[in-house]
């Protein structure tokens, strides 16, 4: 369970996240939507403890991210925006480092490494430096480090950004599969992703929650006929027009 | 401990995965050996000791150690890996310690590689090897002091250049506070206690005491406390960045 309770974060005059509350249970894939600058990435950072909230709290399986950061982070896998990674490391070294910090026992480490490498198709680049990887492989390396410890909750900031259509399809399949017993939050501005992987969608604009519904419910708000994706698109624009920061 | 060890290992390996190690080690070693010979007239003095060699260390570190320290946090912040590192289940203090120890070990390696100087004086005469060992220890501690300052200033900015310049400036201040020129100027008008207090703040005063072969607990403690304080400040700066 990931919970946000009246989560608020200010940067000086700007309120990036404004009194945001929601809860996501295992089995759910929450699509976190909003125009650029709506506060998506700031929310991800508050949920994972990279930023501290100005007020309110975030909880991961009951652990307050501020007061019990270690327990909260141990339960969490996180792909930060842009899939940052140490350029001079190979994919294998990156995963070994994350496994060591997370205290995965050496025997389990091998099994987990093989699993994520196989699932994300990283075998061909395992011993290549991250600086030499294409955008797609880099993103998948970022997903691999987030999934390595088989966390009960995943926070993925734009997991399919930079992937080609085939890779997008694979990663979405992977997310759906993991969703069976995990809590997953996916931030995205790609609306087709909502229909493809999400069981629920939250739209924020200007840091505030404007909608919390199923993808079908979101599509219904468009009040038009046609394919679901097109209707989600129309509903999104109607809900967020004029919002967001300059 | 596990977390500190993992960060240490990653950071230490990173020096050798990039040209940083090769460039730093070679230029440092050339200067560490050339300065005593060229400027310090190491050979002409005809003394089989390493006093001239160690006399240059504060000034060498002033320019070299900030070059190692500047990347510690500024680079992580700029490339976004800070977010990856600090959302792993480890405390800020553990990350600070792991990165500092890796950098300190790296500078220690550079210092260790000056051992041919030691062999040379032993070949030429009969130096006081105990005093030399003490001076090496003092030099290593002083390097840690410079490094801890650099770590804190690197955490405060995303620009490595800014981190470097600030570190050199603070280091210079701490060296000059113990330099004869500054102290002589102070003595002209200031009371003795003030002159002594200023001198006591300086890396130079404490290092020179150790380098003379006198291992005084107060001098060791000075460097240990300096390191601890600046590292604590590093953690505070990083945590403030989260909640600002």
């Amino acid at each position: 369970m990931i919970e946000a309770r009246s989560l608020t974060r200010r940067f000086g005059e700007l309120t990036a996240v404004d009194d945001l509350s929601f809860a996501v249970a295992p089995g759910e894939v929450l699509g976190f939507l909003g125009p650029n600058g709506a506060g998506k990435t700031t929310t991800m950072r508050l949920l994972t403890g990279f930023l501290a909230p100005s007020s309110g709290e975030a909880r991961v399986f009951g652990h307050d991210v501020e007061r019990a950061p270690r327990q909260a982070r141990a339960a969490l896998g996180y792909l930060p925006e842009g899939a940052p990674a140490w350029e001079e490391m190979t994919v294998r070294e990156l995963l070994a480092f994350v496994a060591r910090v997370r205290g995965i026992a050496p025997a389990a480490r091998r099994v987990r490494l093989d699993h994520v490498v196989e699932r994300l198709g990283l075998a061909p680049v395992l011993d290549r430096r991250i600086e030499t990887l294409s955008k797609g492989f880099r993103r998948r390396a970022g997903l691999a480090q987030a999934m390595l410890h088989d966390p009960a909750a995943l926070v993925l900031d734009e997991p399919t950004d930079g992937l080609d259509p085939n890779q997008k399809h694979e990663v979405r399949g992977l997310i759906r599969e993991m969703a069976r017993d995990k809590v997953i939050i996916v931030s995205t501005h790609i609306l087709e992703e909502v229909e493809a992987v999400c069981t629920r969608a939250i739209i924020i604009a200007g840091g505030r929650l404007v909608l919390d519904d199923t993808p079908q419910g979101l599509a219904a708000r468009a009040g038009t006929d046609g394919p679901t994706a097109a209707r989600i698109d129309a509903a999104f624009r109607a809900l967020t027009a004029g919002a967001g920061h300059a | 401990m596990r977390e500190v060890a993992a960060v240490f290992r990653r950071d230490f390996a990173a020096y050798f995965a990039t040209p940083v190690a090769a460039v730093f080690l070679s230029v440092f070693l050339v200067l560490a050996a050339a300065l005593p010979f060229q400027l310090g007239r190491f050979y002409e003095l005809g003394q089989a000791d390493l006093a001239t060699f160690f006399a240059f260390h504060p000034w060498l570190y002033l320019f070299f150690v900030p070059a190692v320290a500047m990347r510690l946090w500024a680079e992580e912040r700029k490339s976004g890996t800070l977010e990856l590192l600090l959302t792993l289940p480890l405390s800020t203090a553990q990350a600070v310690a792991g990165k500092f120890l890796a950098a300190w070990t790296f500078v220690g390696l550079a210092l260790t590689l000056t051992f041919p100087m030691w062999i040379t004086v032993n070949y030429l005469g009969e130096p006081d090897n105990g005093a030399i060992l003490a001076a090496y220890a003092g030099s290593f501690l002083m390097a840690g002091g410079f490094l801890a300052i650099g770590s804190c200033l690197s955490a405060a900015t995303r620009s490595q250049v800014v981190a470097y310049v600030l570190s050199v400036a603070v280091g210079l201040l701490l060296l000059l506070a113990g330099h004869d020129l500054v102290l002589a100027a102070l003595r002209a008008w200031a009371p003795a206690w003030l002159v002594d207090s200023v001198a006591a703040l300086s890396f130079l005063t404490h290092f020179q005491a150790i380098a003379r072969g006198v291992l005084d607990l107060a001098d060791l403690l000075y460097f240990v406390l300096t390191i601890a304080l600046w590292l604590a400040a590093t953690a505070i700066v990083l945590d403030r960045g989260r909640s600002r």
Side-chain angles (χ1 to χ4, degrees):
Chain A
M1 184 84 117
I2 295 183
E3 287 168 279
R5 295 181 184 167
S6 302
L7 210 51
T8 302
R9 170 70 194 207
R10 292 180 210 96
F11 296 99
E13 294 290 293
L14 174 80
T15 304
V17 175
D18 194 354
D19 196 24
L20 200 60
S21 295
F22 58 85
V24 197
E28 282 190 295
V29 181
L30 176 73
F32 212 78
L33 313 174
N36 287 332
K40 296 193 296 288
T41 292
T42 302
T43 307
M44 304 293 117
R45 288 176 172 169
L46 291 169
L47 294 177
T48 55
F50 182 59
L51 290 176
S54 305
S55 65
E57 61 182 28
R59 285 179 174 273
V60 178
F61 292 97
H63 303 295
D64 185 315
V65 174
E66 278 303 298
R67 288 197 203 102
R70 197 175 288 255
Q71 290 88 331
R73 290 169 187 187
L76 209 63
Y78 180 35
L79 173 69
E81 183 190 34
W86 293 276
E87 302 285 327
E88 78 284 352
M89 293 181 105
T90 65
V91 177
R92 192 193 296 277
E93 286 164 352
L94 172 72
L95 296 176
F97 167 67
V98 170
R100 261 183 231 118
V101 174
R102 290 194 175 278
I104 305 176
R109 209 178 285 174
R110 264 214 86 85
V111 178
R112 290 303 304 165
L113 180 77
D114 289 346
H115 175 77
V116 296
V117 164
E118 194 259 301
R119 286 311 322 244
L120 289 159
L122 283 168
V125 297
L126 201 51
D127 289 304
R128 274 191 28 203
R129 285 180 175 221
I130 287 162
E131 65 192 350
T132 69
L133 299 186
S134 67
K135 227 178 154 187
F137 273 124
R138 174 186 280 262
R139 186 79 33 168
R140 282 189 271 169
L143 278 166
Q145 65 76 22
M147 292 164 49
L148 191 62
H149 55 303
D150 195 20
L154 279 161
V155 173
L156 309 174
D157 200 342
E158 303 194 339
T160 60
D161 194 39
L163 300 185
D164 68 34
N166 295 331
Q167 295 164 343
K168 275 186 181 151
H169 182 77
E170 280 167 34
V171 167
R172 285 170 189 164
L174 181 66
I175 292 173
R176 271 197 304 269
E177 190 182 309
M178 289 191 298
R180 275 198 295 259
D181 55 352
K182 292 187 199 303
V183 181
I184 302 183
I185 296 181
V186 177
S187 138
T188 182
H189 56 254
I190 309 169
L191 293 169
E192 59 180 63
E193 206 133 291
V194 178
E195 195 198 352
V197 298
C198 299
T199 60
R200 205 174 126 197
I202 278 182
I203 296 180
I204 62 167
R208 287 170 175 277
L209 189 122
V210 284
L211 180 107
D212 184 348
D213 206 342
T214 61
Q216 293 71 33
L218 176 57
R221 284 173 185 259
T224 56
D225 292 331
T228 315
R231 287 191 292 144
I232 287 176
D233 198 78
F236 176 82
R237 276 185 283 114
L239 283 163
T240 60
H245 301 290
Chain B
M1 211 46 228
R2 178 190 82 221
E3 294 88 346
V4 176
V7 173
F8 171 88
R9 197 167 156 178
R10 197 217 76 77
D11 259 59
F12 191 69
Y15 289 108
F16 296 91
T18 57
V20 172
V23 172
F24 181 89
L25 290 177
S26 46
V27 179
F28 177 83
L29 290 175
V30 166
L31 283 179
L35 288 175
F37 276 102
Q38 294 300 319
L39 289 175
R41 311 200 352 225
F42 176 71
Y43 205 70
E44 290 83 346
L45 283 174
Q47 289 173 353
D49 66 28
L50 287 177
T52 42
F53 166 71
F54 284 115
F56 282 102
H57 281 200
W59 309 100
L60 262 181
Y61 289 153
L62 176 62
F63 294 102
F64 272 90
V65 174
V68 177
M70 67 180 186
R71 47 198 299 284
L72 280 177
W73 298 102
E75 190 172 80
E76 303 265 356
R77 200 183 286 278
K78 187 152 195 178
S79 68
T81 46
L82 189 66
E83 187 168 3
L84 194 58
L85 182 66
L86 295 186
T87 53
L88 287 171
L90 84 176
S91 66
T92 309
Q94 287 170 331
V96 169
K99 288 177 78 69
F100 171 78
L101 289 175
W104 202 15
T105 307
F106 179 69
V107 176
L109 175 70
L111 184 61
T112 309
L113 289 177
T114 61
F115 71 90
M117 295 291 288
W118 192 352
I119 294 176
T120 306
V121 288
N122 270 289
Y123 176 76
L124 292 174
E126 285 176 359
D128 179 351
N129 280 321
I132 290 177
L133 202 61
Y136 262 112
S139 177
F140 183 57
L141 277 171
M142 179 172 59
F146 277 111
L147 207 51
I149 293 171
S151 165
C152 180
L153 296 171
S154 174
T157 173
R158 57 170 53 218
S159 158
Q160 296 196 40
V161 177
V162 172
Y164 179 83
V165 173
L166 288 179
S167 304
V168 173
V170 173
L172 186 62
L173 226 78
L174 281 173
L175 287 186
L176 287 180
H179 197 274
D180 289 338
L181 283 173
V182 176
L183 293 177
L186 266 180
R187 262 182 218 112
W189 57 274
W193 64 265
L194 185 65
V195 178
D196 288 346
S197 308
V198 170
L201 277 178
S202 175
F203 277 19
L204 216 50
T205 314
H206 296 281
F207 173 64
Q208 283 167 349
I210 300 174
R212 275 196 300 271
V214 192
L215 269 183
D216 189 339
L217 190 65
D219 296 316
L220 298 182
L221 215 57
Y222 166 80
F223 283 116
V224 171
L225 279 178
T226 300
I227 292 170
L229 273 173
W230 285 93
L231 288 186
T234 306
I236 290 169
V237 167
L238 289 169
D239 276 334
R240 267 188 64 88
R242 294 176 58 241
S243 52
R244 194 161 43 209

